[in-house]
Amino acid sequence: GGVVYLLCAGGPKKRRFKGDAVFLLGLCDSGKTSMLFLLRDGLQDGALHPTHTSQAPNEDTFVPAGLEDRKPLRVIDFPGHGRLRPQLIEMLEDCAAVVFLIDACTFATQARQVAELLLDLMTSTALLKHCDKMLVVCGKIDALPDELAGISPKMMVKKRLETEIEGVRHSRGQGLDDIAQSMRVELEVEGATFRWSDAPLEVEFCDASAKEGSVQPIHTFLQKL
């Protein structure tokens, strides 16, 4: 009977959120933790801080390296595991802005999963409470194969994600997606299919390489907060 009692008693006390954190989000191995260390510490002796796949959120408050003239930022690096998604959705009320990381090298095979997470974010009532900005970072561009070297992935990724998000939106509209709808708002689309102009928050795209320390577009984004 203990479980029934806990449910009836409402369980643990609801956490209070400030709504002022920058969330680093993305699938597993997209470079979130490396980006957290790079933003905090810069390159150390020309190299990135070694990382491993996170099993729990990392949170820190710091003045980003290279932005010493601004106030400290609270940054949360949330793991990309699908099983942790319910915990993420609960925490999104704490979010003021999203830096969404994509591995440019594996995007072609993970585009649908990326689109599912982005649509979860853009239809989350918790996220939209305080968050009005998202930067989608096409990262690891230093590791692109030779035939793609020198190209800018961000426009290709932006276009492909419109198609993939529309596909996920259609599936969910047909009831083919079994994730609970109660925490979602409908994504309003002006035309026949989703375009980024339909997003309920301001979304920008950039290319970056944590390994090379090329994060100027991310600094520019953070300066707006």
Side-chain angles (χ1 to χ4, degrees), residues 19-195:
D20 65 352
V22 176
F23 274 61
L24 300 179
L25 301 177
L27 303 183
C28 290
D29 300 319
S30 57
K32 298 179 293 296
T33 306
S34 291
M35 188 59 69
L36 172 67
F37 288 136
L38 182 62
L39 289 173
R40 189 187 68 189
D41 306 324
L43 289 177
Q44 300 295 300
D45 297 321
L48 276 175
H49 193 293
T51 65
H52 53 82
T53 301
S54 305
Q55 303 295 327
N58 297 307
E59 179 175 338
D60 202 355
T61 300
F62 55 88
V63 174
L67 293 180
E68 282 72 19
D69 57 341
R70 66 150 296 135
K71 66 182 193 300
L73 278 174
R74 190 161 67 95
V75 180
I76 298 173
D77 152 33
F78 198 94
H81 296 286
R83 61 184 168 76
L84 296 175
R85 198 67 49 82
Q87 185 186 344
L88 170 62
I89 298 300
E90 280 180 18
M91 289 179 64
L92 286 176
E93 198 175 315
D94 213 7
C95 181
V98 173
V99 175
F100 190 99
L101 286 114
I102 292 173
D103 182 340
C105 299
T106 60
F107 173 72
T109 58
Q110 296 185 324
R112 187 72 169 203
Q113 293 165 272
V114 171
E116 287 171 351
L117 178 50
L118 281 167
L119 188 58
D120 282 345
L121 296 175
M122 291 192 292
T123 56
S124 162
T125 52
L127 179 82
L128 298 175
K129 192 165 185 178
H130 300 292
C131 178
D132 62 359
K133 291 182 181 63
M134 183 190 304
L135 178 66
V136 179
V137 180
C138 303
K140 305 190 184 181
I141 59 171
D142 55 277
L144 286 169
D146 289 345
E147 63 268 22
L148 296 176
I151 72 152
S152 169
K154 67 180 180 182
M155 297 313 293
M156 175 187 69
V157 166
K158 183 177 182 179
K159 191 71 183 162
R160 172 79 183 272
L161 280 174
E162 282 185 332
T163 303
E164 295 291 346
I165 288 170
E166 176 58 27
V168 177
R169 193 178 76 91
H170 181 73
S171 295
R172 290 180 179 177
Q174 298 294 312
L176 303 177
D177 185 293
D178 60 359
I179 299 175
Q181 299 288 328
S182 60
M183 301 297 284
R184 284 202 183 126
V185 289
E186 191 68 33
L187 187 64
E188 299 290 337
V189 172
E190 287 212 359
T193 59
F194 172 77
R195 293 289 177 264

